[in-house]
Amino acid sequence: MSMSHIIIDGIKCEFENARNVLEVALNNGIDIPNLCYCESLTTYGGCRLCVVENERGGIEAACTMVPKDGAVVRTNTAQLREFRQGILKLLLEGHRTECATCPQSGKCKLQDYAKRYGVADVKPVDYCREPVDDSSPAVVIDPSKCILCGKCTRTCLQLQNVNAIDFINRGNETVLSCGIGYKLADTNCTSCGQCAAMCPTGALTIKSDAARVWDAINDPTKKVAVQIAPAVKLGIIEAFGLPATAQVMGKMVTALRLMGADYVFDASMSAYQAVLEEADDFKTRKKGGTVLSSYCPAWVKHVECDHPELKDRLSAAGSPMQICGTLIRRKYPDDDLVSVAVMSCAAAKAEALRDENVKDGKKPVDIVITTQEFIGMIREYGMSFAALPDTPTDNFFAQVTGDKCKTPVALRIDPDKCIGCTKCARRCPVGAITGKAKTAHVIDMDKCIRCRTCMLGCPKDAIENVSLDGKTRVAVVNGLANADKLLEKIASGEEKYDFVEVMACPKGCPGGGGQPEECIFGKIDRSTGTFELDFTFPEQPAELVDVKTFVKGKNKELFRVR
């Protein structure tokens, strides 16, 4: 049976179960301009930039136009061009245009469409005069740049079930707000940053702390230690157009050393320790009911604000960032050390400020910057990232292996689905996946840190979350709205799980709010098309020490937060 189709600009575009004409066009590589549409959100139909002409010459919004088999539409006509130019002029007249200094300059869709349709010499007439809200440690709201597309409010409600932001007032007085008299810091915002990732302009952005890092680096009285989270590597690969399987840790170390950092660490070394702590905590608490993961700071904040009755079910284990920061502090106890973390996660900025993370009177991490901020620093320095040589990290302890870690959640590669493309093995930051090209791969759970970068781009979806012992009932959920639905089922008795692992962002850490948009919206499935038959990872130097030996058995005291 043949698929349904519509004709767009003379091109036959097949579709199946498509919501609207815009979706059909985008799936067939036809770029219809839009500012308020997102495939993971409900249709809003607010910006009207996606207008198309039907067979009768009538104008309809593609995002609300139902695709009918055999229909004919046009996306570029003189009438449509004039219509879009008029809409863009209206949007720019109500938008504070400070493109030269706006953090979204070069990434702003409104700016891009204005150039694309030749809209220039438009002066702001009546933009919102509400003050900038920078009360949150992670997200900045600038109402004067809001175009009322509604993507942020729908994201916060539909994907995250938080509803920290919404529109108030009506007509020309409509404005993005956290409620009359409230700022973002006063709400239940989890600082996940997904609203900023969705924003097509500079109305919502991730707060930048890059200047603080530069100040620390340029202060001769300070030493700067930087840890890099595993998912950051994916963001760097996408930002600089490198092959999807490129090994970039050594280049990132070189970049930071050129900038002036004194020590650079791969936070994968602490991610495994976090897995061990969580597994040990689970053993002692599983009889009391469902245990909830505590890796994700946005998830922890969500539980505290919207599910306070479940706070005591959160795992006591600290996050990999906090554990790495604590180890760095123990290694370099001097007061002049500035501890910096490069994270894919915007919520890590808020996590670094939490009082329960203080160990020995010091916060494990002083400054958190996102992948995008790190990319900006690399470009500011003017270096050619792809041409940088590799430099080893300053990791001073070995990843613990052979402990037979009884983590409740494990990853498994289905041998019947795996085609041996090696993408997963090359993406794994700790060498936990072994195998050769064209043969089924295997995950060594004594090495795996559950970062799940291996899952991205797997052409056959061969990697799955399972229970390590086959008996413990586990669930893995991405997105806070999905997590809330699961919690409702657990509370009603419809579902029963011993352990639930939650990542607030819909694509987990690799799609965190601090990542480039390619990681959040793209499929991240680029490859060079060829792979070597064998692949190896650097051996660990013999002088590296065991974590438990290094902390003298105080791992529970140092690596647990509740």
Side-chain angles (χ1 to χ4, degrees):
M1 183 177 178
S2 61
M3 295 179 64
S4 300
H5 74 277
I6 59 177
I7 306 299
I8 304 177
D9 295 334
I11 301 172
K12 181 180 179 180
C13 299
E14 295 184 330
F15 67 91
E16 186 176 7
N17 299 322
R19 292 191 299 171
N20 48 58
V21 170
L22 179 57
E23 188 174 293
V24 177
L26 295 176
N27 289 340
N28 283 272
I30 299 174
D31 181 20
I32 299 178
N34 65 90
L35 288 170
C36 67
Y37 180 76
C38 178
E39 62 180 9
S40 58
L41 302 173
T42 56
T43 301
Y44 189 62
C47 73
R48 316 308 284 183
L49 270 184
C50 67
V51 288
V52 295
E53 277 189 19
N54 58 32
E55 296 173 84
R56 301 178 301 277
I59 293 179
E60 296 185 58
C63 67
T64 58
M65 184 180 181
V66 178
K68 296 179 180 180
D69 191 25
V72 177
V73 299
R74 301 176 68 187
T75 69
N76 283 286
T77 66
Q79 181 182 212
L80 292 176
R81 185 172 188 273
E82 182 179 359
F83 191 93
R84 288 173 182 150
Q85 285 178 326
I87 290 174
L88 289 169
K89 287 178 181 178
L90 288 173
L91 288 173
L92 288 169
E93 285 177 353
H95 176 86
R96 184 162 62 94
T97 49
E98 293 182 340
C99 297
T101 56
C102 179
Q104 282 296 98
S105 184
K107 299 176 288 185
C108 173
K109 291 186 71 174
L110 179 60
Q111 182 187 49
D112 180 50
Y113 288 145
K115 291 179 180 178
R116 177 170 162 180
Y117 288 97
V119 178
D121 298 325
V122 179
K123 295 182 180 180
V125 176
D126 189 27
Y127 61 82
C128 177
R129 285 340 196 249
E130 292 292 321
V132 173
D133 180 357
D134 61 356
S135 61
S136 165
V139 178
V140 178
I141 301 178
D142 187 347
S144 69
K145 296 176 182 176
C146 178
I147 58 172
L148 306 179
C149 69
K151 290 176 77 172
C152 60
T153 60
R154 284 177 287 149
T155 297
C156 195
L157 177 60
Q158 297 171 17
L159 298 186
Q160 302 299 64
N161 198 30
V162 174
N163 202 25
I165 51 177
D166 205 344
F167 295 129
I168 61 171
N169 303 329
R170 294 183 179 182
N172 291 335
E173 301 299 320
T174 304
V175 62
L176 182 65
S177 173
C178 301
I180 298 175
Y182 289 90
K183 292 187 175 182
L184 193 56
D186 303 324
T187 70
N188 60 340
C189 172
T190 64
S191 300
C192 71
Q194 290 298 306
C195 57
M198 287 287 187
C199 181
T201 66
L204 290 104
T205 55
I206 302 300
K207 182 177 288 187
S208 177
D209 290 291
R212 295 176 60 201
V213 178
W214 284 121
D215 289 343
I217 286 174
N218 294 324
D219 187 340
T221 67
K222 302 292 185 182
K223 294 286 186 181
V224 177
V226 183
Q227 59 167 293
I228 305 173
V232 171
K233 302 169 190 177
L234 285 176
I236 293 292
I237 285 171
E238 291 299 313
F240 292 103
L242 300 174
T245 53
Q247 300 293 317
V248 295
M249 176 54 76
K251 296 183 185 298
M252 290 192 288
V253 175
T254 303
L256 286 164
R257 287 288 179 80
L258 287 173
M259 292 177 195
D262 298 283
Y263 314 106
V264 183
F265 303 93
D266 183 347
S268 299
M269 67 179 186
S270 60
Y272 190 80
Q273 187 62 40
V275 171
L276 290 176
E277 293 301 324
E278 187 177 72
D280 184 60
D281 179 68
F282 173 72
K283 284 191 303 182
T284 62
R285 304 177 63 207
K286 61 182 179 180
K287 292 183 180 180
T290 304
V291 178
L292 307 175
S293 67
S294 59
Y295 267 28
C296 174
W299 160 242
V300 171
K301 178 66 180 295
H302 185 58
V303 170
E304 292 174 341
C305 290
D306 294 337
H307 303 283
E309 74 281 1
L310 298 177
K311 285 196 296 184
D312 63 341
R313 301 313 304 160
L314 286 168
S315 171
S319 71
M321 181 185 81
Q322 295 299 329
I323 291 176
C324 189
T326 299
L327 289 166
I328 292 171
R329 290 286 190 203
R330 299 281 290 187
K331 178 68 174 180
Y332 307 103
D334 299 337
D335 291 334
D336 62 358
L337 182 80
V338 178
S339 178
V340 178
V342 183
M343 308 294 291
S344 64
C345 172
K349 291 176 178 285
E351 180 190 10
L353 302 176
R354 295 176 67 100
D355 293 334
E356 69 264 26
N357 295 324
V358 174
K359 306 295 180 183
D360 298 327
K362 297 179 181 178
K363 291 181 179 178
V365 176
D366 297 306
I367 307 171
V368 175
I369 60 172
T370 62
T371 308
Q372 291 200 60
E373 291 168 74
F374 182 36
I375 292 168
M377 292 177 70
I378 292 172
R379 289 174 172 158
E380 178 182 342
Y381 194 91
M383 63 185 78
S384 175
F385 184 82
L388 293 177
D390 290 342
T391 301
T393 67
D394 294 293
N395 289 14
F396 52 87
F397 61 84
Q399 175 179 304
V400 183
T401 59
D403 271 18
K404 303 303 178 185
C405 170
K406 300 300 182 183
T407 173
V409 181
L411 299 182
R412 173 183 174 272
I413 297 178
D414 187 339
D416 295 328
K417 292 183 178 180
C418 181
I419 60 175
C421 68
T422 77
K423 289 182 180 179
C424 58
R426 290 183 174 275
R427 287 198 175 108
C428 179
V430 294
I433 302 178
T434 57
K436 293 185 177 181
K438 299 182 180 180
T439 63
H441 294 10
V442 177
I443 299 178
D444 183 353
M445 284 309 299
D446 282 340
K447 293 183 178 180
C448 178
I449 60 175
R450 300 207 316 260
C451 65
R452 295 186 175 84
T453 54
C454 59
M455 286 185 166
L456 293 180
C458 179
K460 298 297 181 180
D461 293 326
I463 306 173
E464 56 187 356
N465 296 288
V466 298
S467 167
L468 185 64
D469 58 12
K471 300 177 182 179
T472 305
R473 289 181 56 81
V474 301
V476 178
V477 187
N478 288 345
L480 294 179
N482 292 331
D484 284 350
K485 292 175 184 177
L486 180 60
L487 291 179
E488 289 179 6
K489 291 181 178 180
I490 294 174
S492 67
E494 183 179 346
E495 297 281 3
K496 183 178 180 181
Y497 291 100
D498 301 303
F499 184 84
V500 175
E501 181 171 309
V502 180
M503 293 296 169
C505 296
K507 288 190 176 182
C509 294
Q515 292 280 73
E517 65 176 24
E518 294 88 351
C519 295
I520 299 173
F521 303 111
K523 295 182 179 179
I524 318 182
D525 194 24
R526 295 180 300 102
S527 67
T528 58
T530 59
F531 298 92
E532 298 175 10
L533 290 179
D534 296 287
F535 42 88
T536 58
F537 289 82
E539 294 185 1
Q540 296 178 338
E543 65 270 15
L544 298 186
V545 298
D546 176 76
V547 176
K548 291 182 180 178
T549 301
F550 178 73
V551 299
K552 299 178 181 179
K554 295 182 178 180
N555 52 299
K556 290 185 178 180
E557 176 186 337
L558 295 173
F559 303 151
R560 307 223 178 160
V561 294
R562 58 183 66 82

